[in-house]
Amino acid sequence: MRGRLASIAAEEIALSEGWNLVLTEPGVCANPHDLPLSAQFIPAEVPGTVAAALERAGLFDRENPVPLDTRDAWYVCRLFDAAPGDAILRFEGLATLCHVFMNGQEILSSESMFTMHEVPVTLSGGDELALCFRALAPRIAESGPRARWRPQMITPQGLKNVRTTLLGRMPGWCPEIHAAGPWRPVTLVRRDVVSLDDVSVRAVLEPDGSGKLSVSVRTDAEAPELSLRCGGIEQAFEKVGERHYSAILRLKDVEPWWPHTHGTPRLYDYAVVIDGAEHPLGKTGFRSVAADRGTDGSDFALLINGERVFCRGAVWTTADIVKLPGARADYEPFLRLAAEAGMNMIRIGGTMAYETPEFFRLCDELGLMVWQDFMFANFDYPKNDKAFTAHVHAEVEEFLHGVQGSPSLTVLCGGSEIYQQAAMLGLPPEFWSGPIIDEIIPAIAARLCPEIPYVPNSPSGGDMAFSPNAGVTHYYGVGAYMRPLDDARRANVRFAAESLAFANVPQQKTLQRHLDVPPVHSPLWKSRVPRDRGASWDFEDVRDFYLGALYDVDPARLRRENRDLYLDLSRAVTGEVAEETFAEWRRKGSSCNGALVWTLQDLLPGAGWGVIDSTGAPKPIWYALRRAFRPVQVLMTDEGTNGLDVHVINETEHSLQLDLEVICFRNGRQNVASGGRILTLAPRSAETFAATDLFGAFFDTTYAFRFGPPAHDVTVARLRLPEGGAVVADAFHFPQGRSRAVHDAEIQVSLVEDGGAWFADLATDRLAQSVHLSVDGFRPDDDWFHLAPGAAKRVLLRPLSGRGADDRPTGEVLTPGGARAFSF
């Protein structure tokens, strides 16, 4: 029996304790009775992985991993606490080739990491349950059906024939830690006469503003009294087939679910009432989602509740590559930081693994949209293998049933870089596609989640699958391909499901604790820098390219001669590139409808792709993205001889009264030109102003005409609350480059307690670039920001775990390279 979708009014016992792990050579033991008594029995947790059990026992080092796919792994336990009688064993995820034995008899064989199994059993008391995960290496060494192309980034090629994660299989991209073991829960289920199974849920926002909740269930109960309850309304179920019941409940004037950047992610409790007893099913939200592909079909934008939403966020990797966990506590730190940074979309890419419904429940609550790839990437997958196709059907249906009530699920995508891989190898378009992503998955998605847009592959949509000016792209013009910053406009990006990959340097405290080695070609440092397999460069080279371009330095020389300054400018530069690129993409008139950064989190400490390091601490680029993603925002773009444009955005549902001011400073302190305007910003609106219109006269803001020496070195735009209130958003433009605007600023800092929270108030006598707050036991709300004269900046200091409410923060305010430090 496969594919239990949901059940209520049933006893479920998690079989999480009492397990022991035994490793053997491949094929030596046919069943658990063959395990030698002399074998090493290692305590293990379920759900869990072989790597996690070995790590807890001190037998595995994630920073120097050994292969885990060359041996058989046996998990054995005794069900002493399980009462005799009929029951069902539920296996929610077995990685990957697994045989299950009960009292020495095989009861299940599984060949997919991504499918669930339910097996009826009769317990006698003290039964022995054993799981044997066969060595995967021999299986994936087999070539299988002939492929039309061979990707370079994933090894070995035989992985295309097995349904397992590609995490740990991409040299240079992630540590080579192989997934093996019962990575999702094993439970014992006993159903009673009123148990409900195969619960199916759909929640839709109707055009008239009402919410429609559709629920169907199956039950063995005879003539049950069933009703659906939500939002204070109850609707009786109708019998629509043998043991099959359905109800449709409508809520008038429902409060829609919104991404948190555009409104409130409103959720409603819903429950099934069985013979008068309420059984909660969870929470859902009502929203509509549509993809606008433009009149010519080449665009891609998301409309949520009829409103065009600029999507921004990052690509998820995993909460822990060793454990592959799936509980709320594992997801929450990363997802809360994503929401706090102003992200409104998370993409789960096809090279990762399916996350649990807990992931989606958190995204529902936080107002984070989810772009979900199915776990297919780069390979030319088998198209005539019936067993493989059956696995695909099972995993797609089970995943969609598990998350179909989540309003955060916004885009379904067949997989990652399959079209691109074929196209880049020179194959014509008729070779790019295959039945899995073009026929099987969209058919299931249309049946189970018809309201959710489907994208066949990421990227796709242009004459070349990866063309940025049509459909969905993976944009690395600014980034891996080291194009100038103006390429972000020239590329005419429509929607970037991946973008802006850099070797992002963590905060110094993280390096001191977890990677205290010099960044001067230390082998350990370089081993943590991501790279494309076979390329002559890595992503530190990419970062260094922009370091030289933006700061007019020789990165190699600077790294040798002034390591501290090199690291600080490296921390600053990726954020500067990100802020400037997103300013281009978010400006009024841009062709871009969304962009997701590669990636959200690192897998090991070091200069990885993540904007959050592997310890869960935000990197400097996280703060830059937080500024770039503000729902209420001011931006500046250099339009050459047309001058400087100032763009103001209000994505919220409220009308806002704000004051806009623009000031040009000479030597970082002298006001040489300024102007402003009192604004009333309509909800979800954007406006653009020429800086000279605000000044009331010509001023060469971009230094395009070059009439004499430059008159200024920085322009600052600010959005303030009315009558000189707090700054809501600011932006900076450097007409001569950042290196010409470096000043020996005097920063005043004072510590303020307000409402039980601590704040640092900062002011400066002249421009200070990339100001960093180093605070023991606290995380600043903003960091690595530019500070200009004329407006004090208040920064909230958030206490880290272990800090008491009465602890007073101490620390320093620093400028790059530690040239100036101001203590508080």
Side-chain angles (χ1 to χ4, degrees):
M1 181 177 178
R2 177 181 290 179
R4 193 280 315 183
L5 309 177
S7 67
I8 59 175
E11 179 188 18
E12 298 188 14
I13 302 172
L15 303 180
S16 57
E17 299 178 351
W19 293 88
N20 284 291
L21 167 66
V22 179
L23 299 179
T24 69
E25 293 304 312
V28 168
C29 300
N31 63 59
H33 295 161
D34 296 336
L35 291 172
L37 295 177
S38 60
Q40 182 180 14
F41 285 77
I42 303 166
E45 293 181 357
V46 175
T49 64
V50 173
L54 294 176
E55 186 177 60
R56 279 192 298 272
L59 301 174
F60 185 82
D61 180 1
R62 67 175 64 203
E63 297 185 2
N64 298 282
V66 295
L68 297 175
D69 59 359
T70 59
R71 305 179 75 187
D72 290 350
W74 291 83
Y75 280 73
V76 183
C77 80
R78 285 278 183 182
L79 306 182
F80 290 114
D81 296 330
D86 292 339
I88 291 174
L89 281 172
R90 178 184 301 148
F91 305 92
E92 297 192 22
L94 302 168
T96 294
L97 306 179
C98 183
H99 299 272
V100 180
F101 299 85
M102 175 69 76
N103 299 324
Q105 299 296 313
E106 184 170 346
I107 60 173
L108 172 67
S109 175
S110 174
E111 293 195 340
S112 172
M113 177 178 174
F114 303 130
T115 52
M116 177 190 296
H117 301 275
E118 289 187 335
V119 183
V121 294
T122 300
L123 303 179
S124 56
D127 302 86
E128 181 191 68
L129 180 61
L131 317 176
C132 177
F133 297 91
R134 296 297 183 187
L136 193 59
R139 177 70 171 270
I140 60 180
E142 302 170 3
S143 59
R146 182 178 177 84
R148 294 170 293 179
W149 66 83
R150 295 168 62 89
Q152 294 299 308
M153 71 177 235
I154 306 169
T155 59
Q157 300 299 314
L159 282 165
K160 73 179 186 300
N161 306 313
V162 180
R163 296 307 300 138
T164 193
T165 180
L166 299 180
L167 283 168
R169 306 285 183 175
M170 297 171 282
W173 282 43
C174 63
E176 296 185 48
I177 299 172
H178 303 146
W183 73 302
R184 291 294 181 246
V186 177
T187 53
L188 189 67
V189 180
R190 298 181 193 268
R191 295 190 172 97
D192 60 31
V193 294
V194 294
S195 294
L196 299 183
D197 296 296
D198 295 357
V199 180
S200 179
V201 181
R202 283 187 63 204
V204 177
L205 182 67
E206 298 282 64
D208 64 358
S210 64
K212 183 174 77 171
L213 178 63
S214 304
V215 176
S216 65
V217 299
R218 291 184 180 274
T219 181
D220 288 331
E222 292 292 336
E225 291 187 12
L226 296 177
S227 61
L228 176 64
R229 184 176 290 169
C230 181
I233 296 177
E234 197 163 320
Q235 176 66 47
F237 278 86
E238 296 182 0
K239 190 171 184 178
V240 294
E242 184 67 25
R243 304 191 303 111
H244 189 196
Y245 298 82
S246 178
I248 298 177
L249 183 150
R250 296 183 184 275
L251 295 176
K252 292 183 178 180
D253 300 320
V254 74
E255 295 179 51
W257 182 93
W258 286 97
H260 75 102
T261 52
H262 288 66
T264 302
R266 178 72 162 88
L267 295 174
Y268 289 80
D269 294 306
Y270 67 106
V272 172
V273 181
I274 307 173
D275 296 331
E278 181 177 281
H279 299 271
L281 285 180
K283 296 177 182 288
T284 191
F286 299 92
R287 55 92 182 93
S288 67
V289 55
D292 182 354
R293 291 180 167 87
T295 56
D296 61 355
S298 64
D299 204 4
F300 187 86
L302 287 179
L303 279 68
I304 306 298
N305 305 330
E307 294 285 346
R308 202 177 187 94
V309 170
F310 184 89
C311 303
R312 65 278 197 164
V315 180
W316 176 266
T317 53
T318 175
D320 188 318
I321 194 170
V322 168
K323 300 175 183 177
L324 298 179
R328 180 185 180 99
D330 304 304
Y331 297 133
E332 191 161 9
F334 295 107
L335 292 178
R336 286 202 178 277
L337 282 174
E340 189 182 330
M343 299 182 187
N344 60 20
M345 176 173 276
I346 298 294
R347 174 176 166 232
I348 303 175
T351 53
M352 311 304 174
Y354 296 107
E355 301 297 346
T356 66
E358 288 296 317
F359 181 96
F360 289 84
R361 292 187 189 107
L362 261 170
C363 290
D364 294 343
E365 295 172 22
L366 296 171
L368 291 169
M369 298 178 286
V370 179
W371 173 303
Q372 176 69 57
D373 282 10
F374 291 93
M375 295 303 118
F376 300 91
N378 294 77
F379 284 119
D380 181 21
Y381 288 94
K383 57 183 178 181
N384 298 317
D385 185 327
K386 292 183 179 179
F388 188 91
T389 302
H391 292 318
V392 174
H393 276 275
E395 76 180 64
V396 173
E397 291 201 15
E398 289 169 13
F399 170 75
L400 290 179
H401 271 294
V403 301
Q404 61 184 333
S406 289
S408 58
L409 183 61
T410 308
V411 178
L412 295 172
C413 180
S416 173
E417 294 191 351
I418 297 175
Y419 290 2
Q420 173 175 302
Q421 187 75 70
M424 283 192 162
L425 291 174
L427 296 174
E430 58 267 25
F431 282 82
W432 303 352
S433 61
I436 292 174
I437 60 175
D438 291 333
E439 299 169 19
I440 296 173
I441 297 177
I444 298 172
R447 174 165 52 86
L448 297 180
C449 303
E451 73 281 3
I452 298 178
Y454 180 76
V455 175
N457 208 240
S458 180
S460 62
D463 293 334
M464 287 286 100
F466 45 84
S467 299
N469 62 356
V472 174
T473 192
H474 291 179
Y475 175 75
Y476 294 114
V478 175
Y481 307 142
M482 293 181 271
R483 301 284 298 166
L485 296 188
D486 64 7
D487 189 75
R489 179 178 295 195
R490 296 175 62 189
N492 198 25
V493 175
R494 301 304 183 93
F495 194 106
E498 295 178 14
S499 65
L500 301 181
F502 296 102
N504 293 307
V505 180
Q507 300 278 28
Q508 188 61 26
K509 289 181 179 178
T510 297
L511 294 182
Q512 288 171 346
R513 293 169 186 163
H514 300 281
L515 192 65
D516 194 13
V517 298
V520 189
H521 292 290
S522 160
L524 184 55
W525 175 275
K526 293 299 281 186
S527 70
R528 305 289 175 82
V529 174
R531 60 196 179 280
D532 280 322
R533 187 166 177 247
S536 61
W537 49 270
D538 62 23
F539 282 81
E540 189 155 66
D541 297 323
V542 173
R543 188 190 67 228
D544 282 352
F545 170 83
Y546 292 100
L547 181 60
L550 269 64
Y551 291 98
D552 194 26
V553 296
D554 178 353
R557 181 174 180 178
L558 182 63
R559 187 171 58 231
R560 289 193 302 269
E561 297 180 355
N562 191 336
R563 185 178 73 186
D564 291 343
L565 182 57
Y566 169 77
L567 284 175
D568 279 352
L569 291 182
S570 295
R571 292 182 177 102
V573 70
T574 56
E576 291 291 288
V577 172
E579 284 197 76
E580 194 156 328
T581 303
F582 273 98
E584 171 57 46
W585 287 340
R586 291 188 68 194
R587 67 178 174 85
K588 185 177 181 179
S590 169
S591 65
C592 186
N593 303 300
L596 309 178
V597 172
W598 181 269
T599 61
L600 183 66
Q601 70 272 66
D602 280 345
L603 303 177
L604 289 175
W609 281 313
V611 302
I612 303 170
D613 71 33
S614 63
T615 72
K619 292 184 181 180
I621 190 176
W622 179 88
Y623 293 96
L625 292 174
R626 190 171 191 265
R627 294 187 291 270
F629 292 165
R630 289 177 289 217
V632 180
Q633 180 71 302
V634 61
L635 312 165
M636 289 188 287
T637 55
D638 189 328
E639 305 297 331
T641 53
N642 288 317
L644 198 63
D645 275 357
V646 182
H647 309 271
V648 181
I649 300 170
N650 174 23
E651 291 179 330
T652 74
E653 56 192 325
H654 307 290
S655 179
L656 298 178
Q657 301 287 328
L658 295 170
D659 292 345
L660 170 65
E661 63 179 16
V662 179
I663 307 171
C664 298
F665 289 104
R666 178 186 296 148
N667 298 325
R669 65 186 304 179
Q670 182 182 353
N671 182 338
V672 293
S674 60
R677 189 162 297 181
I678 299 174
L679 303 176
T680 300
L681 296 177
R684 303 192 177 103
S685 67
E687 296 187 38
T688 299
F689 307 93
T692 50
D693 287 347
L694 299 174
F695 298 159
F698 170 74
F699 184 79
D700 191 3
T701 50
T702 58
Y703 194 50
F705 297 94
R706 304 183 185 275
F707 296 151
H712 69 303
D713 52 23
V714 64
T715 300
V716 182
R718 297 186 180 111
L719 275 182
R720 288 180 179 270
L721 296 177
E723 299 179 357
V727 175
V728 175
D730 53 11
F732 296 80
H733 177 258
F734 301 93
Q736 306 170 67
R738 288 158 180 79
S739 63
R740 301 290 185 90
V742 176
H743 304 289
D744 188 19
E746 186 72 30
I747 299 174
Q748 297 82 45
V749 55
S750 57
L751 198 61
V752 177
E753 185 179 15
D754 187 357
W758 288 102
F759 298 85
D761 283 355
L762 294 87
T764 183
D765 65 335
R766 66 195 72 197
L767 177 72
Q769 292 189 51
S770 302
V771 175
H772 168 48
L773 278 72
S774 177
V775 192
D776 293 331
F778 289 79
R779 174 171 63 82
D781 228 23
D782 199 4
D783 203 5
W784 297 92
F785 51 81
H786 301 322
L787 187 64
K793 184 177 182 72
R794 171 163 286 192
V795 180
L796 173 64
L797 305 178
R798 299 178 182 269
L800 300 177
S801 60
R803 280 283 175 167
D806 297 330
D807 288 352
R808 183 182 179 90
T810 60
E812 292 180 315
V813 176
L814 304 160
T815 54
R820 299 293 301 274
F822 306 90
S823 299
F824 60 90

